[in-house]
Amino acid sequence: DTVLCIEFGDIWKKQGCVAIQVNEFFDSLLGNHVSPNSLHGQFIRDVLRSQSSDFDRYVTQALSNVPSEHVPRTSGNTKRYKIGTTAAIDIGAQRYLLFAFTKTDTTTLKASASVHELWDALAGLWAAITIHGNGDPVSMPLVGGGLSGVGLPARNLLQLLMTSFSYYTKKQKITGRLTIVLPKALAKEIDLQELNF
């Protein structure tokens, strides 16, 4: 009773719940802390109209009862959350699930992640969807590519996402419909007809 869809498209045009990866500090400052080109940055820039204070307010409210570690930093947020921590944020009729995926070097501000962090981040996201999904369809991007630098080809990242979703779905139903939205630029790299799953 669970449908997994994979399509090329624009994640920002999806309805239902939209999952977006962020860093472990849930940083809000566009620029060195959050690249405007990342989905994290696009969320702040386009959905919140570059209002970093609104982002902080939403996250603080959503994670008010979630444990965190205080990390002294000269700039940026100082609460560091466990990888997989997810903040459910409602903006109008749209629900966004912001989940901690990358670790940030407090000196260079470089965000990065390993395959282990990707798996942990997905586990946290799946758990959050069962609580905050409200039975709505869920859309998510291809996590692990781009600026996070996991280091796997897009096809392997997609297989890993599919494997994780299948593994945790067998333990407990996560959602009735999950759509993995791939950027159109990957159309030459990933042939959906060749996916074996």
Side-chain angles (χ1 to χ4, degrees), residues 120-159:
D120 290 344
L122 292 173
L125 175 61
W126 306 144
I129 290 173
T130 62
I131 298 172
H132 303 292
N134 292 339
D136 292 333
V138 178
S139 299
M140 68 179 298
L142 180 65
V143 185
L147 299 174
S148 58
V150 169
L152 291 177
R155 180 184 177 89
N156 295 93
L157 289 172
L158 180 57
Q159 288 283 4

Short mmCIF file of all heavy atoms in Angstrom, two decimals, residues 120-159:
data_model
loop_
_atom_site.label_atom_id
_atom_site.label_comp_id
_atom_site.label_asym_id
_atom_site.label_seq_id
_atom_site.Cartn_x
_atom_site.Cartn_y
_atom_site.Cartn_z
N ASP A 120 21.80 7.91 8.13
CA ASP A 120 21.23 8.38 9.39
C ASP A 120 20.22 9.50 9.16
O ASP A 120 19.18 9.56 9.82
CB ASP A 120 22.33 8.87 10.33
CG ASP A 120 23.20 7.74 10.87
OD1 ASP A 120 22.78 6.57 10.77
OD2 ASP A 120 24.30 8.03 11.38
N ALA A 121 20.54 10.39 8.22
CA ALA A 121 19.63 11.49 7.91
C ALA A 121 18.31 10.97 7.37
O ALA A 121 17.23 11.44 7.74
CB ALA A 121 20.28 12.45 6.91
N LEU A 122 18.39 9.98 6.49
CA LEU A 122 17.17 9.40 5.91
C LEU A 122 16.35 8.68 6.98
O LEU A 122 15.12 8.78 7.00
CB LEU A 122 17.54 8.44 4.78
CG LEU A 122 18.14 9.08 3.52
CD1 LEU A 122 18.60 8.01 2.55
CD2 LEU A 122 17.14 10.02 2.86
N ALA A 123 17.03 7.98 7.88
CA ALA A 123 16.31 7.29 8.95
C ALA A 123 15.53 8.29 9.80
O ALA A 123 14.37 8.04 10.16
CB ALA A 123 17.30 6.51 9.83
N GLY A 124 16.16 9.43 10.10
CA GLY A 124 15.46 10.46 10.86
C GLY A 124 14.31 11.05 10.10
O GLY A 124 13.24 11.32 10.66
N LEU A 125 14.50 11.25 8.79
CA LEU A 125 13.42 11.79 7.96
C LEU A 125 12.25 10.83 7.90
O LEU A 125 11.09 11.25 8.05
CB LEU A 125 13.94 12.06 6.54
CG LEU A 125 12.88 12.52 5.53
CD1 LEU A 125 12.23 13.83 5.96
CD2 LEU A 125 13.50 12.61 4.14
N TRP A 126 12.50 9.56 7.68
CA TRP A 126 11.40 8.58 7.61
C TRP A 126 10.60 8.58 8.91
O TRP A 126 9.37 8.54 8.89
CB TRP A 126 11.92 7.17 7.33
CG TRP A 126 12.81 6.96 6.14
CD1 TRP A 126 13.86 6.11 6.07
CD2 TRP A 126 12.73 7.59 4.85
NE1 TRP A 126 14.45 6.16 4.83
CE2 TRP A 126 13.77 7.06 4.06
CE3 TRP A 126 11.89 8.55 4.30
CZ2 TRP A 126 14.00 7.45 2.74
CZ3 TRP A 126 12.11 8.96 2.98
CH2 TRP A 126 13.14 8.41 2.22
N ALA A 127 11.30 8.63 10.03
CA ALA A 127 10.62 8.65 11.33
C ALA A 127 9.75 9.91 11.46
O ALA A 127 8.62 9.85 11.97
CB ALA A 127 11.64 8.59 12.46
N ALA A 128 10.26 11.04 10.98
CA ALA A 128 9.51 12.29 11.07
C ALA A 128 8.29 12.27 10.17
O ALA A 128 7.23 12.81 10.52
CB ALA A 128 10.41 13.46 10.72
N ILE A 129 8.41 11.64 9.01
CA ILE A 129 7.27 11.59 8.09
C ILE A 129 6.11 10.81 8.70
O ILE A 129 4.95 11.19 8.55
CB ILE A 129 7.69 10.96 6.75
CG1 ILE A 129 8.63 11.90 5.99
CG2 ILE A 129 6.46 10.65 5.89
CD1 ILE A 129 9.22 11.31 4.72
N THR A 130 6.43 9.73 9.43
CA THR A 130 5.35 8.95 10.05
C THR A 130 4.60 9.78 11.08
O THR A 130 3.41 9.55 11.32
CB THR A 130 5.92 7.68 10.73
OG1 THR A 130 6.81 8.07 11.78
CG2 THR A 130 6.65 6.80 9.74
N ILE A 131 5.27 10.78 11.67
CA ILE A 131 4.63 11.62 12.69
C ILE A 131 3.99 12.85 12.08
O ILE A 131 2.85 13.22 12.41
CB ILE A 131 5.68 12.06 13.73
CG1 ILE A 131 6.28 10.85 14.45
CG2 ILE A 131 5.05 13.02 14.75
CD1 ILE A 131 7.46 11.17 15.35
N HIS A 132 4.69 13.50 11.15
CA HIS A 132 4.26 14.80 10.64
C HIS A 132 3.70 14.76 9.22
O HIS A 132 3.31 15.81 8.69
CB HIS A 132 5.43 15.79 10.68
CG HIS A 132 6.02 15.98 12.03
ND1 HIS A 132 5.34 16.60 13.07
CD2 HIS A 132 7.24 15.62 12.54
CE1 HIS A 132 6.12 16.63 14.14
NE2 HIS A 132 7.26 16.03 13.85
N GLY A 133 3.67 13.60 8.60
CA GLY A 133 3.24 13.52 7.21
C GLY A 133 1.75 13.71 7.00
O GLY A 133 1.30 14.03 5.90
N ASN A 134 0.97 13.47 8.01
CA ASN A 134 -0.50 13.63 7.94
C ASN A 134 -1.13 12.82 6.82
O ASN A 134 -2.23 13.16 6.36
CB ASN A 134 -0.87 15.11 7.76
CG ASN A 134 -0.54 15.94 8.98
OD1 ASN A 134 -0.39 15.42 10.08
ND2 ASN A 134 -0.40 17.24 8.79
N GLY A 135 -0.46 11.78 6.37
CA GLY A 135 -1.02 10.96 5.31
C GLY A 135 -0.91 11.58 3.93
O GLY A 135 -1.38 11.00 2.95
N ASP A 136 -0.28 12.75 3.84
CA ASP A 136 -0.14 13.42 2.54
C ASP A 136 0.99 12.81 1.74
O ASP A 136 1.92 12.22 2.30
CB ASP A 136 0.15 14.91 2.75
CG ASP A 136 -1.02 15.66 3.35
OD1 ASP A 136 -2.17 15.23 3.14
OD2 ASP A 136 -0.78 16.68 4.03
N PRO A 137 0.96 12.96 0.41
CA PRO A 137 2.11 12.54 -0.40
C PRO A 137 3.35 13.33 0.01
O PRO A 137 3.24 14.50 0.38
CB PRO A 137 1.69 12.88 -1.84
CG PRO A 137 0.24 13.17 -1.79
CD PRO A 137 -0.12 13.53 -0.40
N VAL A 138 4.50 12.70 -0.07
CA VAL A 138 5.75 13.34 0.31
C VAL A 138 6.68 13.38 -0.89
O VAL A 138 6.81 12.40 -1.62
CB VAL A 138 6.45 12.60 1.48
CG1 VAL A 138 7.77 13.25 1.83
CG2 VAL A 138 5.53 12.53 2.69
N SER A 139 7.30 14.54 -1.10
CA SER A 139 8.29 14.68 -2.17
C SER A 139 9.63 15.04 -1.55
O SER A 139 9.68 15.77 -0.56
CB SER A 139 7.87 15.77 -3.16
OG SER A 139 6.64 15.45 -3.76
N MET A 140 10.69 14.54 -2.15
CA MET A 140 12.03 14.85 -1.66
C MET A 140 13.00 14.91 -2.83
O MET A 140 12.75 14.32 -3.90
CB MET A 140 12.49 13.79 -0.65
CG MET A 140 12.73 12.41 -1.24
SD MET A 140 13.30 11.22 0.00
CE MET A 140 14.86 11.97 0.51
N PRO A 141 14.11 15.61 -2.66
CA PRO A 141 15.11 15.68 -3.73
C PRO A 141 16.05 14.48 -3.68
O PRO A 141 15.95 13.63 -2.80
CB PRO A 141 15.86 16.98 -3.39
CG PRO A 141 15.82 17.02 -1.88
CD PRO A 141 14.48 16.45 -1.50
N LEU A 142 16.96 14.44 -4.64
CA LEU A 142 18.02 13.44 -4.62
C LEU A 142 19.07 13.92 -3.62
O LEU A 142 19.87 14.81 -3.91
CB LEU A 142 18.65 13.29 -6.01
CG LEU A 142 19.78 12.26 -6.11
CD1 LEU A 142 19.24 10.85 -5.84
CD2 LEU A 142 20.44 12.33 -7.48
N VAL A 143 19.03 13.36 -2.42
CA VAL A 143 19.89 13.81 -1.33
C VAL A 143 21.30 13.24 -1.51
O VAL A 143 21.47 12.08 -1.84
CB VAL A 143 19.32 13.36 0.03
CG1 VAL A 143 20.15 13.93 1.18
CG2 VAL A 143 17.87 13.78 0.16
N GLY A 144 22.30 14.09 -1.26
CA GLY A 144 23.67 13.61 -1.27
C GLY A 144 24.50 14.07 -2.44
O GLY A 144 25.71 13.87 -2.46
N GLY A 145 23.88 14.67 -3.43
CA GLY A 145 24.62 15.21 -4.56
C GLY A 145 24.96 16.67 -4.31
O GLY A 145 24.78 17.19 -3.22
N GLY A 146 25.45 17.31 -5.32
CA GLY A 146 25.67 18.75 -5.21
C GLY A 146 26.73 19.14 -4.20
O GLY A 146 27.78 18.52 -4.09
N LEU A 147 26.39 20.15 -3.40
CA LEU A 147 27.37 20.78 -2.52
C LEU A 147 27.77 19.92 -1.32
O LEU A 147 28.79 20.16 -0.70
CB LEU A 147 26.82 22.12 -2.03
CG LEU A 147 26.51 23.15 -3.13
CD1 LEU A 147 25.84 24.38 -2.54
CD2 LEU A 147 27.79 23.55 -3.86
N SER A 148 26.94 18.94 -0.96
CA SER A 148 27.23 18.15 0.24
C SER A 148 28.41 17.20 0.04
O SER A 148 29.06 16.81 1.00
CB SER A 148 25.99 17.35 0.65
OG SER A 148 25.57 16.49 -0.40
N GLY A 149 28.64 16.81 -1.18
CA GLY A 149 29.85 16.06 -1.49
C GLY A 149 29.94 14.68 -0.87
O GLY A 149 30.99 14.31 -0.35
N VAL A 150 28.87 13.88 -0.94
CA VAL A 150 28.94 12.50 -0.44
C VAL A 150 29.94 11.70 -1.27
O VAL A 150 30.63 10.82 -0.77
CB VAL A 150 27.55 11.83 -0.46
CG1 VAL A 150 27.65 10.34 -0.22
CG2 VAL A 150 26.66 12.47 0.59
N GLY A 151 30.01 12.01 -2.55
CA GLY A 151 31.03 11.39 -3.38
C GLY A 151 30.56 10.20 -4.20
O GLY A 151 31.40 9.48 -4.76
N LEU A 152 29.26 9.99 -4.28
CA LEU A 152 28.72 8.89 -5.08
C LEU A 152 28.04 9.45 -6.33
O LEU A 152 27.47 10.54 -6.29
CB LEU A 152 27.70 8.08 -4.27
CG LEU A 152 28.23 7.26 -3.10
CD1 LEU A 152 27.08 6.59 -2.37
CD2 LEU A 152 29.23 6.20 -3.58
N PRO A 153 28.08 8.70 -7.43
CA PRO A 153 27.35 9.12 -8.62
C PRO A 153 25.85 9.20 -8.32
O PRO A 153 25.34 8.53 -7.41
CB PRO A 153 27.65 8.02 -9.63
CG PRO A 153 28.89 7.36 -9.14
CD PRO A 153 28.84 7.46 -7.64
N ALA A 154 25.15 10.02 -9.08
CA ALA A 154 23.72 10.24 -8.85
C ALA A 154 22.94 8.93 -8.87
O ALA A 154 22.02 8.73 -8.06
CB ALA A 154 23.17 11.20 -9.90
N ARG A 155 23.28 8.04 -9.76
CA ARG A 155 22.56 6.76 -9.85
C ARG A 155 22.69 5.96 -8.55
O ARG A 155 21.73 5.36 -8.08
CB ARG A 155 23.10 5.95 -11.05
CG ARG A 155 22.40 4.61 -11.23
CD ARG A 155 23.05 3.82 -12.36
NE ARG A 155 22.44 2.53 -12.49
CZ ARG A 155 21.39 2.27 -13.26
NH1 ARG A 155 20.83 3.24 -13.94
NH2 ARG A 155 20.89 1.05 -13.33
N ASN A 156 23.90 5.95 -7.98
CA ASN A 156 24.12 5.23 -6.73
C ASN A 156 23.39 5.89 -5.57
O ASN A 156 22.86 5.20 -4.68
CB ASN A 156 25.61 5.14 -6.42
CG ASN A 156 26.37 4.31 -7.44
OD1 ASN A 156 26.88 4.85 -8.41
ND2 ASN A 156 26.43 3.01 -7.25
N LEU A 157 23.35 7.21 -5.57
CA LEU A 157 22.60 7.93 -4.52
C LEU A 157 21.13 7.58 -4.60
O LEU A 157 20.47 7.36 -3.57
CB LEU A 157 22.79 9.44 -4.68
CG LEU A 157 24.18 10.00 -4.34
CD1 LEU A 157 24.25 11.47 -4.73
CD2 LEU A 157 24.48 9.83 -2.85
N LEU A 158 20.61 7.52 -5.81
CA LEU A 158 19.20 7.17 -5.98
C LEU A 158 18.91 5.77 -5.49
O LEU A 158 17.92 5.53 -4.79
CB LEU A 158 18.81 7.31 -7.45
CG LEU A 158 17.36 6.98 -7.81
CD1 LEU A 158 16.39 7.85 -7.01
CD2 LEU A 158 17.14 7.16 -9.31
N GLN A 159 19.79 4.84 -5.82
CA GLN A 159 19.61 3.46 -5.34
C GLN A 159 19.65 3.40 -3.82
O GLN A 159 18.89 2.66 -3.19
CB GLN A 159 20.70 2.55 -5.94
CG GLN A 159 20.54 2.27 -7.42
CD GLN A 159 19.46 1.23 -7.71
OE1 GLN A 159 18.76 0.76 -6.82
NE2 GLN A 159 19.30 0.88 -8.98
#
